[in-house]
C-alpha cells in the first residue's frame, strides 16, 4: 500500500431510506428449517429480515454464519435471518447436500434452497457471501458483500427497531424457525482422522465439537474428548478439523472456528492452546510472531513436515507454520489473494487449502476452491508451489487420464500412499481419486462415497472419512482403477455484459452510521484487480488505494473473469474517544464478463451500503 497516495474522498451518508421494494423469495429446492412451511415476504412483514446469500463450499460464507450468531440471538424477537443457498458447484445444487450443510454448520434459521440462482438474480447479487437487509415494511435498505459487517448490521437493526416501533410497523414475537429432529449417530459430519500409536483411530467430530477415539475397527467408541458444546475452554472445541501427530506422540488439532491450534495429550486427555487468540485474522494484523499472540483464520488441516507443523489456513488462502520449539507462527506461502498461481511461495495464490499430507520432500495440498491438487517443495531460494491437477476457480468435474486435463470437484483431503502416489478425497464427486507423479496420470479408486473429507492408511487398507454418512469406511486399495464417465463443469453464473474500451469499476462503500473511514495512518481502503485470462485487461491491473478505477479491456478478448478484492476500515466517529473501535470490511469478487457493444460502461460492486 502506498502511504503517499491521497486519502480517498469520504463516503456520502448511507442512502438506506431508498424505497426499493424487496423481490419475492423463490427457489426450486424449497424451504428448510420451517417445519415444511413455504415462506413469503408477506409472512415476514413487521420484522427486520436479513437475507444471507451463501454456499456451503465458501469459507467466507461460513465466517459470516458465525458473525451473525450473536445478532441472531440478541434480536430473535424482531429479526428473521433467511439463508438463501446459492450454489457454486454442481454438488451444491443437490437438495440433500444442502440439508446436510444446514445441519453440519448449525444454521438455526430458515434456509431457501435456490439451486438455479433465481433469488440471487432478482437481488443482483454478485458474490458469496452477500447480506441484504429488508425493513419491516418490505423495502431493501442495505446490502453488504463479504465479511466484517456484523457490527454495521447490528447498528442498523437497532435503528430500524426504534424507527418502526415508533411507527407501529414493528411486529415482535417468535420467528419462523423450526428445528429439525436430531439424529442419533456416533459421529456427526466428521472431518479428519489419524491413526494413534496404539492403533486406535482419532476423529474430529466436527459438528459435535469433539474429538472421538475409536477402536481399530473404526466403529467402537473408546472415549469422547470435549464437552460437545461450542466453546474455547480447556474442555471445548468449535468445529475441529485437521489432526496431526507430533514427534512426541501428542496430537495437534486445527480448531477451525476457534481460529486456533490445540494440542491433545492422548495419555491424559489434556488439551492446551498452542497458537491463535480465538480471534479471526484480518488484513493488517500481524502475520508472524509469538504463537499465542497472533490471530489465525479457519485453520482446516495440519501436517508435520520439515520440523514444523504446516497449517492449511483456509480462511485467508495461505499456508502457515507453527514451530513448537520457538513457539512462533508465521506465513509460509500465499498472498491472501484467492486463485491458482504457482511459483515462489511468497507469490503463490491458493483458494481454501483444506487438506495436507507430508511425503518426503513434498507436502501435498488439496486446494478445494480451485478443485486442485498441489504441492510444496524446497527450492534453491526457498519453498516453491506447483500444481499437479486443476486450472483455477471455475473449472471442475470428474475426469481421469493425463493430469493436465483431469478434473476434481472441491477436494478436501489428500493422503500419501506407499508407492509414492497420492489419494485425493474428491469430496463433491463422492470419490477417492489417485494421482501418480511417476506417470502423470489420474484415476478413480472408489466411488459411492458421501462427501469424503479425509483418509488414513491402516495396514493394507485405507480408511475414508465419509463425512455426510457420519462414518469411517474401510477400503482395500484396489489394484485397478474404477472406470467412470468423464464429466466437466464450469461455475454457472450469468455473465455481466460490459462495453469494449474503458470500464469504470466502482466499489461502493458507505461507512456505517456513526463511523468514518480511518485515515489516521494513511489510506484505509485497498483495491486489487486482476483478470482471467490476464490479456482481458489492457490497463487497470494491480493494487491501489482508491475504491474506483478505470479499466481498459482488450478488444481482442471477448470474455473472461474480473477478479476484484476490496478492503475498507472504518472507526467510530467520536473525536473525544482516543481509541475508537475500528472494523475491517473486505470481499473478493470473481465477476464473469462478456464484452459486447450493448454492454455497460460501469461495473458497480457493493461492499457496503446502496449503489446510488
Amino acid at each position: 500500500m502506498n502511504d503517499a497516495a491521497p486519502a480517498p474522498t469520504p463516503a456520502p451518508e448511507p442512502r438506506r431510506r431508498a424505497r426499493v421494494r424487496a423481490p419475492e423469495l423463490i427457489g426450486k429446492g424449497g424451504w428448510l428449517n420451517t417445519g415444511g412451511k413455504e415462506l413469503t415476504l408477506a409472512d415476514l412483514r413487521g420484522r427486520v429480515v436479513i437475507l444471507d446469500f451463501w454456499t456451503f463450499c465458501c469459507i467466507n460464507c461460513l465466517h459470516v454464519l458465525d458473525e451473525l450468531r450473536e445478532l441472531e440471538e440478541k434480536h430473535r424477537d424482531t429479526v428473521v435471518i433467511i439463508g438463501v443457498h446459492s450454489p457454486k458447484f454442481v454438488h451444491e445444487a443437490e437438495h440433500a447436500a444442502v440439508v446436510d450443510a444446514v445441519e453440519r454448520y448449525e444454521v438455526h434459521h430458515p434456509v431457501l434452497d435456490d439451486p438455479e440462482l433465481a433469488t440471487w438474480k432478482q437481488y443482483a447479487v454478485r458474490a458469496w457471501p452477500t447480506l441484504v437487509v429488508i425493513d419491516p415494511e418490505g423495502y431493501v435498505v442495505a446490502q453488504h458483500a463479504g465479511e466484517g459487517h456484523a457490527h454495521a448490521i447490528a447498528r442498523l437493526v437497532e435503528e430500524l427497531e426504534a424507527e418502526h416501533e415508533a411507527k407501529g410497523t414493528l411486529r415482535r414475537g417468535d420467528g419462523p424457525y423450526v428445528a429439525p429432529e436430531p439424529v442419533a449417530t456416533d459421529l456427526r459430519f466428521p472431518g479428519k482422522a489419524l491413526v494413534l500409536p496404539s492403533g486406535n483411530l482419532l476423529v474430529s467430530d466436527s459438528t459435535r465439537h469433539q474429538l472421538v477415539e475409536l477402536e481399530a475397527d473404526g466403529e467402537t467408541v473408546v472415549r469422547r474428548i470435549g464437552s460437545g458444546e461450542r466453546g474455547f475452554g480447556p474442555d471445548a472445541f468449535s468445529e475441529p478439523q485437521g489432526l496431526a501427530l507430533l514427534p512426541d506422540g501428542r496430537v495437534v488439532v486445527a480448531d477451525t472456528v476457534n481460529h486456533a491450534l490445540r494440542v491433545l495429550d492422548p495419555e491424559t486427555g489434556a488439551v492446551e492452546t498452542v497458537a491463535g487468540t480465538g480471534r479471526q485474522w484480518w488484513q493488517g494484523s500481524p502475520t508472524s510472531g509469538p504463537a499465542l499472540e497472533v490471530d489465525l483464520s479457519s485453520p482446516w488441516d495440519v501436517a508435520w513436515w520439515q520440523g514444523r507443523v504446516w497449517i492449511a489456513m483456509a480462511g485467508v488462502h495461505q499456508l502457515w507454520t507453527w514451530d513448537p520449539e520457538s513457539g512462533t507462527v508465521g506465513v509460509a506461502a500465499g498472498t491472501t489473494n484467492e486463485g491458482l498461481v504457482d511459483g515462489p511461495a511468497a507469490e503463490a495464490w491458493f483458494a481454501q487449502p483444506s487438506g495436507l499430507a507430508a511425503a518426503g520432500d513434498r507436502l501435498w495440498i488439496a486446494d478445494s476452491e480451485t478443485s486442485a491438487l498441489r504441492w510444496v517443495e524446497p527450492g534453491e531460494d526457498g519453498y516453491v508451489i506447483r500444481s499437479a491437477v486443476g486450472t483455477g476457480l471455475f473449472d471442475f468435474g470428474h475426469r481421469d487420464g493425463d493430469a493436465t486435463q483431469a478434473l476434481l470437484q472441491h477436494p478436501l483431503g489428500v493422503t500419501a500412499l506407499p508407492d509414492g502416489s497420492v489419494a485425493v478425497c474428491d469430496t463433491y464427486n463422492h470419490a477417492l481419486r489417485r494421482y501418480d507423479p511417476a506417470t502423470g496420470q489420474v484415476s478413480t479408486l472408489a466411488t459411492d462415497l458421501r462427501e469424503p473429507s479425509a483418509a488414513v492408511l491402516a495396514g493394507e487398507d485405507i480408511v475414508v472419512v465419509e463425512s455426510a454418512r457420519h462414518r469411517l469406511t474401510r477400503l482395500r486399495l484396489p489394484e485397478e482403477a474404477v472406470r467412470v464417465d468423464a464429466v466437466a463443469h464450469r461455475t454457472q453464473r450469468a455473465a455481466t455484459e460490459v462495453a469494449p474500451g474503458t470500464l469504470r469499476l466502482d466499489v461502493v462503500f458507505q461507512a456505517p452510521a456513526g463511523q468514518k473511514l480511518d485515515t489516521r495512518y494513511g489510506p484505509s481502503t485497498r483495491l486489487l484487480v486482476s483478470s482471467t485470462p490476464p490479456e482481458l485487461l489492457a490497463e487497470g491491473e494491480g493494487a491501489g488505494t482508491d475504491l474506483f478505477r478505470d479499466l481498459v479491456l482488450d478488444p481482442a478478448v471477448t470474455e473472461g473473469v474480473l477478479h476484484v478484492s476490496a478492503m475498507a476500515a472504518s472507526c467510530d466517529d467520536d473525536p473525544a474517544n482516543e481509541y475508537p473501535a475500528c472494523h475491517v470490511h473486505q470481499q473478493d469478487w470473481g465477476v464473469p464478463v462478456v464484452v459486447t457493444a450493448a454492454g455497460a460502461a460501469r461495473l458497480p460492486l457493493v461492499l457496503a451500503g446502496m449503489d446510488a
Side-chain angles (χ1 to χ4, degrees):
M1 188 175 289
N2 181 5
D3 291 339
T9 303
E13 285 298 310
R15 299 182 176 224
R16 74 168 188 82
R17 297 181 185 276
R19 307 299 282 175
V20 179
R21 176 65 73 179
E24 192 52 80
L25 306 176
I26 53 175
K28 284 196 172 181
W31 288 87
L32 305 176
N33 285 354
T34 63
K37 180 180 179 180
E38 294 197 3
L39 299 180
T40 66
L41 286 176
D43 298 327
L44 304 173
R45 197 63 52 82
R47 313 296 288 272
V48 178
V49 177
I50 300 172
L51 303 182
D52 176 15
F53 290 87
W54 70 299
T55 189
F56 63 79
C57 72
C58 163
I59 192 67
N60 312 92
C61 299
L62 304 186
H63 289 167
V64 168
L65 283 176
D66 292 318
E67 287 178 3
L68 293 176
R69 293 187 197 279
E70 182 179 350
L71 182 147
E72 189 169 25
E73 177 63 27
K74 182 177 179 181
H75 298 275
R76 64 186 339 178
D77 66 331
T78 58
V79 170
V80 175
I81 297 177
I82 302 289
V84 182
H85 188 268
S86 313
K88 170 186 174 181
F89 289 99
V90 169
H91 171 58
E92 293 174 306
E94 298 175 13
H95 183 69
V98 181
V99 173
D100 284 345
V102 167
E103 180 188 352
R104 180 195 297 268
Y105 297 115
E106 296 184 302
V107 180
H108 293 164
H109 50 250
V111 173
L112 175 64
D113 181 9
D114 182 18
E116 297 180 350
L117 304 182
T119 295
W120 165 289
K121 295 170 186 173
Q122 287 291 313
Y123 281 83
V125 174
R126 295 185 185 273
W128 299 278
T130 291
L131 299 169
V132 175
V133 182
I134 301 171
D135 73 12
E137 294 179 291
Y139 291 94
V140 175
V141 292
Q143 181 171 326
H144 302 262
E147 304 178 50
H149 301 292
H151 70 286
I153 292 177
R155 174 167 287 191
L156 176 57
V157 164
E158 292 172 355
E159 292 178 3
L160 290 170
E161 285 176 341
E163 175 185 338
H164 289 274
E165 188 95 79
K167 291 174 63 176
T169 50
L170 185 71
R171 177 168 57 88
R172 295 180 181 270
D174 293 334
Y177 170 68
V178 178
E181 289 293 322
V183 180
T185 53
D186 287 334
L187 301 173
R188 206 69 192 160
F189 298 105
K192 305 289 186 181
L194 63 75
V195 179
L196 293 168
S198 65
N200 286 351
L201 292 152
L202 187 67
V203 184
S204 55
D205 197 18
S206 303
T207 296
R208 292 214 177 108
H209 315 297
Q210 291 180 316
L211 307 181
V212 178
E213 183 177 347
L214 303 173
E215 291 185 4
D217 61 9
E219 297 179 2
T220 306
V221 176
V222 176
R223 60 173 168 166
R224 296 180 180 277
I225 301 163
S227 65
E229 298 293 328
R230 187 189 295 272
F232 194 32
D235 190 35
F237 299 94
S238 187
E239 298 181 30
Q241 286 285 343
L243 307 167
L245 272 176
L246 296 173
D248 62 8
R250 296 183 301 160
V251 177
V252 61
V253 182
D255 196 2
T256 304
V257 179
N258 277 328
H259 309 295
L261 297 188
R262 321 290 292 281
V263 165
L264 164 71
D265 184 337
E267 296 295 323
T268 65
V271 176
E272 65 172 317
T273 302
V274 296
T277 63
R279 297 183 300 270
Q280 183 183 341
W281 185 93
W282 290 97
Q283 290 286 351
S285 300
T287 56
S288 64
L292 291 171
E293 298 175 14
V294 177
D295 299 339
L296 309 182
S297 182
S298 297
W300 206 275
D301 203 6
V302 282
W304 179 260
W305 187 59
Q306 299 211 334
R308 290 177 289 170
V309 171
W310 287 67
I311 310 163
M313 202 72 77
V316 286
H317 318 300
Q318 291 180 313
L319 303 181
W320 288 41
T321 61
W322 168 56
D323 184 346
E325 289 295 322
S326 64
T328 57
V329 293
V331 174
T335 64
T336 76
N337 295 326
E338 184 178 14
L340 194 158
V341 176
D342 290 337
E347 301 171 14
W349 292 22
F350 299 94
Q352 286 179 220
S354 301
L356 299 174
D361 62 356
R362 288 187 179 185
L363 178 70
W364 293 97
I365 308 158
D367 200 29
S368 62
E369 278 293 287
T370 53
S371 298
L373 172 65
R374 308 175 72 185
W375 78 86
V376 189
E377 64 182 12
E380 293 184 1
D381 299 315
Y383 290 106
V384 178
I385 312 301
R386 305 194 189 282
S387 295
V389 182
T391 59
L393 286 166
F394 304 102
D395 294 288
F396 57 93
H398 192 153
R399 182 194 287 155
D400 287 332
D402 190 271
T404 58
Q405 55 84 52
L407 293 173
L408 309 169
Q409 185 179 180
H410 197 80
L412 291 178
V414 60
T415 307
L417 299 180
D419 64 357
S421 66
V422 290
V424 179
C425 285
D426 193 5
T427 309
Y428 287 2
N429 280 329
H430 311 301
L432 187 67
R433 311 285 293 282
R434 176 179 179 262
Y435 168 69
D436 186 351
T439 63
Q441 294 293 301
V442 175
S443 57
T444 299
L445 298 176
T447 57
D448 194 31
L449 301 167
R450 188 68 185 171
E451 291 193 16
S453 56
V456 293
L457 292 175
E460 295 182 355
D461 298 337
I462 188 165
V463 177
V464 180
V465 180
E466 275 198 273
S467 189
R469 283 202 178 113
H470 320 293
R471 71 186 189 193
L472 303 187
T473 297
R474 184 179 294 267
L475 303 172
R476 180 58 55 93
L477 282 170
E479 294 181 5
E480 294 184 4
V482 177
R483 296 186 66 85
V484 296
D485 293 328
V487 60
H489 303 287
R490 296 210 81 212
T491 300
Q492 294 300 309
R493 278 184 289 160
T496 299
E497 294 187 351
V498 296
T502 301
L503 175 67
R504 174 71 171 203
L505 171 66
D506 283 322
V507 174
V508 178
F509 177 75
Q510 296 159 348
Q515 294 192 351
K516 63 178 182 179
L517 288 172
D518 178 21
T519 57
R520 292 171 297 167
Y521 308 108
S524 62
T525 54
R526 186 188 71 165
L527 181 64
L528 177 67
V529 181
S530 62
S531 66
T532 302
E535 296 78 19
L536 175 64
L537 281 177
E539 295 180 24
E541 182 180 7
T545 57
D546 290 322
L547 292 181
F548 58 87
R549 190 175 301 176
D550 286 332
L551 310 178
V552 178
L553 306 180
D554 187 331
V557 182
T558 58
E559 62 179 332
V561 178
L562 291 174
H563 304 284
V564 180
S565 177
M567 183 273 289
S570 62
C571 296
D572 291 343
D573 188 8
D574 181 1
N577 185 355
E578 186 177 355
Y579 303 103
C582 297
H583 305 274
V584 175
H585 318 254
Q586 63 184 40
Q587 172 62 9
D588 296 331
W589 291 267
V591 183
V593 296
V594 173
V595 180
T596 173
R602 175 177 177 264
L603 176 62
L605 299 175
V606 178
L607 179 60
M610 298 282 282
D611 181 30

